[in-house]
């Protein structure tokens, strides 16, 4: 089999919630539409099929040699640092695999967050009077938490009244606490922007915490900006910006 460029393997976490896989597949379809001719496969770490291991075995059986494995994650936490490298190390030995960086942070993701807020009813004219809760899934990894806090600080400088991070698990504050803080500060309106890729248990918790907010944006999902970030991370890895996870013998 002749392969002109590495196969892009998008690695998603997986969920019992069927909306998760449906959103992942919609995002992958958008990536394919932006880069016709690029082979893009999807594998899941848990709950959904196909598994990452089965996709890697199938690619090896077809004679594929080069793969860019792209974690469908917004921060470098446990899955990116441990779970995914472990799965990739067990891949068929004939595969040359590079693990791309996670998606965030990226200015494109900030653009996608604003897109979702505007789709939910805000306008650019509302920015200066709106407090935004940047609500992420949460993590016990201090690096991941620090990244979310930095994104909130950076986003605040684009004209919003205020931006605060919040977390659905593992870390504080919760979404509802950040909403109450903005109410106490006297913000004219409060919006919640989920910094998550697909629906599921934790995004639903974010939505419940946003009950007293004026605006709740949708998850990032298959936003075109997210698809462009995927391709940017793929291009970085393909160009050799990252060391191979494991080169074939």
């Amino acid at each position: 089999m002749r392969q002109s460029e590495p196969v892009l393997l998008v690695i998603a976490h997986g969920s019992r919630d069927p909306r998760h896989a449906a959103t992942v597949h919609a995002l992958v379809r958008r990536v394919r539409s932006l880069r016709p001719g690029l082979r893009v496969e999807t594998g899941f770490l848990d709950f959904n099929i196909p598994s990452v291991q089965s996709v890697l075995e199938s690619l090896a059986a077809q004679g594929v040699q080069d793969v860019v494995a792209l974690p469908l994650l917004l921060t470098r936490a446990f899955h990116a640092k441990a779970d995914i490298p472990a799965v990739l190390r067990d891949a068929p030995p004939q595969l040359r695999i590079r693990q791309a960086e996670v998606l965030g942070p990226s200015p494109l993701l900030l653009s996608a967050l604003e897109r979702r807020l505007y789709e939910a009813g805000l306008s650019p004219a509302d920015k200066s009077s709106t407090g935004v809760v940047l609500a992420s899934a949460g993590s016990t990894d201090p690096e991941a938490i620090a990244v979310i806090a930095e994104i909130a600080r950076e986003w605040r400088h684009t004209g919003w009244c205020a931006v605060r991070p919040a977390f659905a698990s593992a870390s504080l504050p919760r979404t509802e606490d950040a909403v109450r803080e903005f109410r106490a500060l006297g913000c004219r309106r409060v919006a919640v922007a989920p910094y998550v890729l697909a629906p599921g248990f934790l995004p639903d918790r974010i939505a419940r915490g946003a009950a007293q907010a004026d605006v709740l944006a949708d998850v990032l999902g298959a936003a075109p900006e997210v698809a462009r970030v995927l391709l940017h991370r793929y291009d970085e890895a393909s160009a050799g910006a990252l060391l191979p996870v494991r080169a074939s013998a």
Side-chain angles (χ1 to χ4, degrees):
M1 174 182 176
R2 186 175 180 179
Q3 183 183 344
S4 59
E5 57 185 348
V7 171
L8 170 56
L9 171 57
V10 176
I11 300 179
H13 182 273
S15 172
R16 292 186 178 90
D17 189 321
R19 297 174 297 168
H20 174 91
T23 302
V24 170
H25 291 310
L27 176 58
V28 169
R29 286 193 297 271
R30 187 178 286 275
V31 171
R32 291 185 180 124
S33 72
L34 291 177
R35 187 73 62 88
L38 174 64
R39 181 171 179 182
V40 187
E41 301 290 342
T42 308
F44 295 90
L45 291 174
D46 206 353
F47 302 116
N48 302 107
I49 56 174
S51 68
V52 176
Q53 187 65 30
S54 67
V55 174
L56 292 170
E57 290 172 355
S58 176
L59 291 173
Q62 296 168 43
V64 170
Q65 293 182 324
D66 294 298
V67 176
V68 169
L70 194 154
L72 197 60
L73 301 168
L74 294 171
T75 58
R76 272 183 50 79
F78 182 79
H79 294 304
K81 295 177 179 179
D83 284 354
I84 291 175
V87 171
L88 297 179
R89 283 193 295 270
D90 289 337
Q94 62 266 45
L95 293 176
R96 291 188 295 264
I97 303 173
R98 293 176 181 270
Q99 181 177 329
E101 279 289 0
V102 298
L103 302 184
S106 167
L108 284 169
L109 294 178
L110 286 181
S111 296
L113 286 166
E114 294 210 358
R115 170 194 289 274
R116 293 305 189 218
L117 285 171
Y118 297 151
E119 290 170 348
L122 291 180
S123 73
D126 297 321
K127 293 181 74 168
S128 62
S129 59
T130 301
V132 179
V133 179
L134 179 67
S136 74
S139 173
T140 57
D141 189 308
E143 177 187 349
I145 297 304
V147 167
I148 299 300
E150 179 57 32
I151 292 170
R153 284 192 292 269
E154 180 181 342
W155 202 15
R156 163 68 181 83
H157 294 313
T158 66
W160 296 100
C161 174
V163 181
R164 298 282 190 276
F167 307 94
S169 68
S171 307
L172 295 174
R174 296 285 185 259
T175 303
E176 54 269 32
D177 299 328
V179 170
R180 282 194 292 267
E181 178 186 354
F182 281 137
R183 292 292 184 209
L185 288 173
C187 291
R188 185 178 302 173
R189 63 182 63 79
V190 180
V192 174
Y195 190 59
V196 293
L197 286 167
F201 177 76
L202 293 178
D204 283 351
R205 181 179 289 178
I206 290 172
R208 291 193 297 272
Q212 300 304 313
D214 300 295
V215 173
L216 170 63
D218 199 359
V219 299
L220 294 172
E225 297 89 348
V226 179
R228 288 166 57 198
V229 175
L230 261 74
L231 288 171
H232 180 63
R233 298 294 185 235
Y234 168 82
D235 290 338
E236 287 179 331
S238 298
L242 302 175
L243 293 175
V245 171
R246 186 209 60 235
S248 60

